[in-house]
Amino acid sequence: MPFGEVVCGSPGSGKSTYCYGKHQLFTALNRPISIVNLDPANDNIPYPCAIDISSLITLEDVMNEHGLGPNGGMLYCMEYLEANYDWLEDRLKELGNDAYILFDLPGQVELSTNHESVKNIVHKLAKSGFRLAAVHLCDAHYVTDAAKYVSVLMLALRAMLHLELPHVNVLSKIDLIQQYGDLDFNLEFYTEVQDLSYLENALSASSPRYKDLNMAICSLVEDFGLVGFETLAVEDKESMLHLSRVIDKATGCVFVPPPEAKQPPGTVEAKGVPATARPNVHALFTSAAGPMQGPRSDVRDVQERWVDAKEEWDAWEKAQWRKEGQMVQEAARKSKIRERGAREKT
C-alpha cells in the first residue's frame, strides 16, 4: 500500500526545502522515497524528482498560449492535470506499491483552500489506494504578529476542511523565529492554539477598527477546535525525525525493512527470524501508534532550543560536530595504519 504526503502552503513557506530535507532523511534511514513536483512554475527543483508536471504542462506555455496571468495560469494547469489524471496515475504505478511519495504543490493557497482540482486529484489518489496526509507549512515568523497569526489560523482551518485528509499543520523555519522579535506568549500558546481571547489587546492595538471582526474569527477557530501546529527546523535532525513520526502516525504508516535489509548496528541477530519479522517482535505498530517520544516531542524543549537558549545550544552542537569530526579523522588514520601494516606483512 503506497503512503505519502500532500505538501502545501503559501509561497516561501519552505515546501521544496522540506521535500529535499525529507529525501535526505529517508535516504539516511534507508527508507525509499519519491518526490512528485506538481508546481508547473518550479524550474529550480532542489531535490531528485521522480515525476515532474513540467513534462506534461508548464505555466509559461499556458500564459503564452492563453494570455493568462500567473494565478489564472496556475489554476488552468491544475485543471489540465485533473483532466489528464491518467498521465499521473501511470507514472505513479511505475514507482511501485511500496513507494512513499511526497506531492509538492504550488504555493497558490487557493489550490488547497477553495479550488476543486487539487481536491479532486487527492480523492482520486485515495481511491487508488494511497494513504495520504496533508502537511501544511506556515512560516513561523507569523506568530510574532497577532493579526498574521489569526490569518494563518484561518488559512490552516480552511485547508483542513477543504482537502479532507489527515492534516498536520507545521510552523516551519522555527530556527529563525528569534530574528523577528520576542513572542508575546510561550511557543506552546501558538502551537496548541489555546485561549485566543488573550490576543484581544494585541489585535485591538494593531487594528482597533476590526476588533470585533478579529475576535469573531478567533471564536470561529476555537469553535471548530481542529487547528494545532507542529514545529520544524529542517536542518535539525531531531526536528525532522519528530515531524516524520507525527506524519507516520497520521497516515498509519509503519516502515518494515525489506528481507535483504541488514541488521541495525548494535543489535543482536535473531537466529532463524527473517528480517521482515524482526520489527514485529518489538510490536512496532504499537510503538508507532503510542505517544510521541524524543528530544523535540515537547514544544517546551523546542522553545528552549530555538528561543530561550539558542546561542548556548548552537555552541554545544558545534562542539559535538567538532568532536564527531575528530573521531572520524582518528578512525580514518587508524584504518590507514592497519592497511599499511597489512601491506608490509605481505
Side-chain angles (χ1 to χ4, degrees), residues 77-109:
C77 289
M78 290 300 103
E79 292 171 358
Y80 189 83
L81 177 62
E82 180 189 359
N84 294 272
Y85 174 77
D86 55 338
W87 173 88
L88 177 61
E89 186 177 33
D90 292 341
R91 281 151 184 78
L92 289 173
K93 288 179 180 178
E94 296 174 1
L95 301 179
N97 291 328
D98 296 328
Y100 190 95
I101 300 176
L102 304 185
F103 296 90
D104 186 10
L105 292 185
Q108 275 71 3
V109 294

Side-chain angles (χ1 to χ4, degrees), residues 183-196:
L183 299 177
D184 294 329
F185 307 96
N186 287 335
L187 190 58
E188 186 177 8
F189 172 85
Y190 300 100
T191 58
E192 301 296 329
V193 191
Q194 298 173 358
D195 189 353
L196 297 180

Side-chain angles (χ1 to χ4, degrees), residues 190-238:
Y190 300 100
T191 58
E192 301 296 329
V193 191
Q194 298 173 358
D195 189 353
L196 297 180
S197 63
Y198 287 104
L199 297 175
E200 183 173 2
N201 291 336
L203 292 171
S204 300
S206 62
S207 53
R209 181 179 179 182
Y210 301 106
K211 173 184 175 181
D212 293 339
L213 175 61
N214 287 329
M215 296 315 299
I217 293 175
C218 290
S219 297
L220 176 66
V221 173
E222 288 183 325
D223 289 343
F224 275 96
L226 296 175
V227 184
F229 293 94
E230 299 293 334
T231 59
L232 174 65
V234 74
E235 295 183 356
D236 182 64
K237 179 182 68 174
E238 299 295 344

